[in-house]
């Protein structure tokens, strides 16, 4: 998707269009709150319970909001940058109450021969 020499890790760039459907599905996992569903997503690395717990806690701590599925406008502000042997994506989350909110979903991406592999990091306010 992205050339490994495209960046030294300091420059943010738009999330590649080819990753957006997978990142949307991953964000939707937060919306429905069912970690069992994540086990059926082939390109998603297993998500430890502590990661799910941190993500849920971050949303709850943010306030009385309902995270909603990502609209297309998400990709106008979400970014990625080089991170070690892969990429770090910061996906802006949306709520029913605010629209785009301050919360971001951090997802690491590794390019493999059979396609990208995604690892959920955390949800937080940068």
């Amino acid at each position: 998707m992205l050339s490994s020499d495209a960046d030294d890790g300091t420059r943010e760039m738009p999330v590649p269009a080819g990753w957006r459907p997978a990142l949307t599905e991953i964000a939707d996992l937060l919306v429905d709150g069912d970690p069992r569903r994540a086990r059926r997503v082939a390109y998603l690395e297993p998500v430890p319970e502590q990661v799910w717990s941190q993500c849920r806690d971050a949303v709850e701590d943010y306030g009385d909001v309902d995270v909603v599925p990502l609209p297309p406008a998400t990709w106008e502000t979400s970014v990625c940058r080089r991170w070690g042997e892969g990429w770090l994506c910061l996906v802006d989350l949306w709520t029913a109450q605010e629209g785009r909110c301050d919360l971001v979903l951090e997802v690491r991406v590794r390019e493999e021969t059979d396609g990208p592999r995604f690892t959920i990091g955390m949800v937080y306010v940068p």
Side-chain angles (χ1 to χ4, degrees):
M1 211 40 78
L2 292 174
S3 168
S4 48
D5 60 5
D7 189 352
D8 64 1
T10 60
R11 189 176 63 122
E12 292 181 340
M13 57 193 76
V15 173
W19 295 351
R20 293 174 186 182
L23 291 167
T24 297
E25 184 174 13
I26 291 167
D28 287 349
L29 294 172
L30 292 175
V31 174
D32 77 16
D34 184 0
R36 294 171 296 175
R37 189 173 144 221
R39 294 184 202 130
R40 296 187 299 266
V41 179
Y43 51 79
L44 180 62
E45 295 295 336
V47 183
E49 178 53 40
Q50 71 187 56
V51 171
W52 277 116
S53 180
Q54 184 281 328
C55 292
R56 284 190 303 268
D57 290 349
V59 172
E60 288 175 16
D61 291 347
Y62 185 72
D64 189 19
V65 296
D66 300 304
V67 177
V68 297
L70 300 179
T74 298
W75 309 115
E76 296 170 14
T77 55
S78 297
V79 296
C80 71
R81 68 173 178 255
R82 192 84 181 121
W83 184 77
E85 296 297 315
W87 298 90
L88 180 68
C89 294
L90 301 176
V91 180
D92 292 324
L93 297 179
W94 292 64
T95 68
Q97 294 77 10
E98 299 176 288
R100 185 172 62 97
C101 68
D102 293 333
L103 290 168
V104 297
L105 169 62
E106 177 188 282
V107 179
R108 292 178 300 280
V109 183
R110 282 186 342 271
E111 287 288 351
E112 301 287 336
T113 55
D114 60 343
R117 298 287 300 174
F118 298 84
T119 304
I120 295 175
M122 65 176 80
V123 172
Y124 64 99
V125 175

